[in-house]
Amino acid sequence: MAVISFVSLVSVFLLSWFSPFATALSTTYYDRTCPKLESIITEVVKKAMINDKTVPAALLRMHFHDCFVRGCDGSVLLNSTKNNQAEKDGPPNISLHAFYVIDIAKQEIEASCPGVVSCADILALAARDAIALSGGPNWNVPKGRKDGRISKANETRQLPAPTFNLSQLQQSFSQRGLSMDDLVALSGGHTLGFAHCSSFQNRIHNFAKNSDVDPSMHSSFASSLRQICPLNNKVKNAGANMDSSSTVFDNAYYKLLLQGKSLFSSDQSLLTNSRTQALVSKFANSESEFYAAFVKSMIKMSSITGGQEIRLNCRTVN
């Protein structure tokens, strides 16, 4: 398991529109107030993975979706109320799961050091552990995030969609202070998990007037997807694994992308620009280069802050 340290990236420059006050993060933030924090979370994630191999992908996706709406403030964890539909019930988040992992970790941490650790930090650490325990890189996570009090389902429209082209992706990432390099590196998170047919049906049915299938997709790969996801698909949870080793964090995603075997339009779009295509090739040829870039971009993304409190229950505001 590769261990990569990027201490110099602890203080990352993030967007002020998420919060009027930047929260200073530190890798040693809880060293005195909750020294067992990281070991508690790692053990909870490890136990959850034994029972459910989809947990790592779920936690990583949950963290991404949290950070891209109002910053990394744990707002994706809040439940809807009678007067408000929360982020987790927005269309892009309906398929999010494994919230119970964060709940269990929070309960154990509250028992050890009550009122100290934010849900947003727990989620950031759990996502890191999910990657490391899946064979990917490990790193020191900057901590000190606060939890947000606002969570709105309609704000999930800000999330980048699997149908986005490169221009749309670039705009979405740049609004959050993330570069094209970050876009390519973070897209590597697609090495974990499963995608429902609805996320890529635009590429395998009625793609264009002259082509039912996206011509950039490998023909045999497209045929296999069309069998799994027919035009009038009736199977509720039909879909495909994100890559050939969907429970292992590796660089297979980039290798398959170069072979025309990626699922999303957003994935394929990375090959439509010379810079992003060069990075895809670089990461396909060197797993260590991918790991280093991914860690750097994860620290940058997960340091977008925006909360105000330390939630006592991750599903409800104080």
Side-chain angles (χ1 to χ4, degrees), residues 95-159:
S95 59
L96 289 182
H97 66 287
F99 290 100
Y100 72 91
V101 178
I102 306 302
D103 292 336
I104 294 171
K106 179 63 171 175
Q107 289 168 7
E108 294 192 13
I109 291 164
E110 285 298 310
S112 178
C113 33
V116 172
V117 182
S118 68
C119 298
D121 275 343
I122 293 172
L123 179 53
L125 287 163
R128 186 276 313 273
D129 287 341
I131 293 162
L133 293 169
S134 298
N138 200 350
W139 66 93
N140 290 325
V141 176
K143 297 168 284 290
R145 298 165 189 79
K146 295 295 188 291
D147 295 321
R149 300 189 184 102
I150 299 172
S151 183
K152 296 182 179 296
N154 61 9
E155 292 184 351
T156 60
R157 291 177 294 185
Q158 302 171 16
L159 292 167

Side-chain angles (χ1 to χ4, degrees), residues 16-302:
S16 60
W17 62 269
F18 280 106
S19 172
F21 305 102
T23 300
L25 304 182
S26 168
T27 56
T28 60
Y29 191 84
Y30 296 111
D31 282 5
R32 292 186 179 182
T33 56
C34 197
K36 295 181 180 179
L37 167 65
E38 298 205 29
S39 60
I40 290 172
I41 295 174
T42 300
E43 196 59 31
V44 169
V45 174
K46 190 182 296 184
K47 288 180 180 178
M49 287 174 61
I50 293 173
N51 297 318
D52 185 354
K53 293 181 179 180
T54 71
V55 162
L59 292 174
L60 178 56
R61 185 166 176 249
M62 193 187 300
H63 183 46
F64 278 141
H65 284 214
D66 184 40
C67 293
F68 265 70
V69 180
R70 292 185 173 270
C72 311
D73 66 346
S75 55
V76 74
L77 304 172
L78 287 170
N79 284 346
S80 294
T81 64
K82 183 174 67 174
N83 299 317
N84 178 67
Q85 189 176 38
E87 287 174 35
K88 64 169 59 172
D89 292 319
N93 289 341
I94 293 297
S95 59
L96 289 182
H97 66 287
F99 290 100
Y100 72 91
V101 178
I102 306 302
D103 292 336
I104 294 171
K106 179 63 171 175
Q107 289 168 7
E108 294 192 13
I109 291 164
E110 285 298 310
S112 178
C113 33
V116 172
V117 182
S118 68
C119 298
D121 275 343
I122 293 172
L123 179 53
L125 287 163
R128 186 276 313 273
D129 287 341
I131 293 162
L133 293 169
S134 298
N138 200 350
W139 66 93
N140 290 325
V141 176
K143 297 168 284 290
R145 298 165 189 79
K146 295 295 188 291
D147 295 321
R149 300 189 184 102
I150 299 172
S151 183
K152 296 182 179 296
N154 61 9
E155 292 184 351
T156 60
R157 291 177 294 185
Q158 302 171 16
L159 292 167
T163 55
F164 271 14
N165 59 35
L166 189 62
S167 177
Q168 291 170 311
L169 288 172
Q170 184 178 10
Q171 181 180 15
S172 178
F173 275 65
S174 65
Q175 287 173 344
R176 291 155 178 83
L178 300 171
S179 67
M180 293 280 274
D181 290 17
D182 297 321
L183 165 60
V184 180
L186 293 174
S187 292
H190 287 171
T191 188
L192 293 178
F194 176 90
H196 291 97
C197 296
S198 58
S199 297
F200 55 85
Q201 66 179 358
N202 65 304
R203 298 188 70 200
I204 59 174
H205 298 293
N206 302 319
F207 177 75
K209 289 183 179 180
N210 299 325
S211 177
D212 199 33
V213 175
D214 184 345
S216 65
M217 186 177 280
H218 191 285
S219 58
S220 63
F221 181 64
S223 295
S224 66
L225 293 178
R226 283 165 63 88
Q227 290 181 359
I228 296 168
C229 305
L231 184 58
N232 296 311
N233 175 51
K234 303 291 185 182
V235 181
K236 183 178 180 181
N237 292 316
N241 289 329
M242 292 301 296
D243 76 12
S244 55
S245 52
S246 61
T247 60
V248 178
F249 193 92
D250 55 22
N251 66 338
Y253 161 81
Y254 297 103
K255 295 178 180 180
L256 293 172
L257 177 53
L258 291 172
Q259 297 170 25
K261 296 179 180 179
S262 62
L263 291 178
F264 301 157
S265 296
S266 59
D267 296 324
Q268 182 61 33
S269 74
L270 300 182
L271 300 181
T272 62
N273 171 278
S274 59
R275 177 170 182 76
T276 55
Q277 183 178 28
L279 285 171
V280 169
S281 296
K282 179 181 180 180
F283 297 155
N285 291 323
S286 174
E287 193 166 70
S288 62
E289 292 275 9
F290 163 48
Y291 283 178
F294 184 81
V295 168
K296 180 179 178 181
S297 296
M298 277 291 286
I299 291 175
K300 188 175 178 181
M301 181 199 73
S302 69

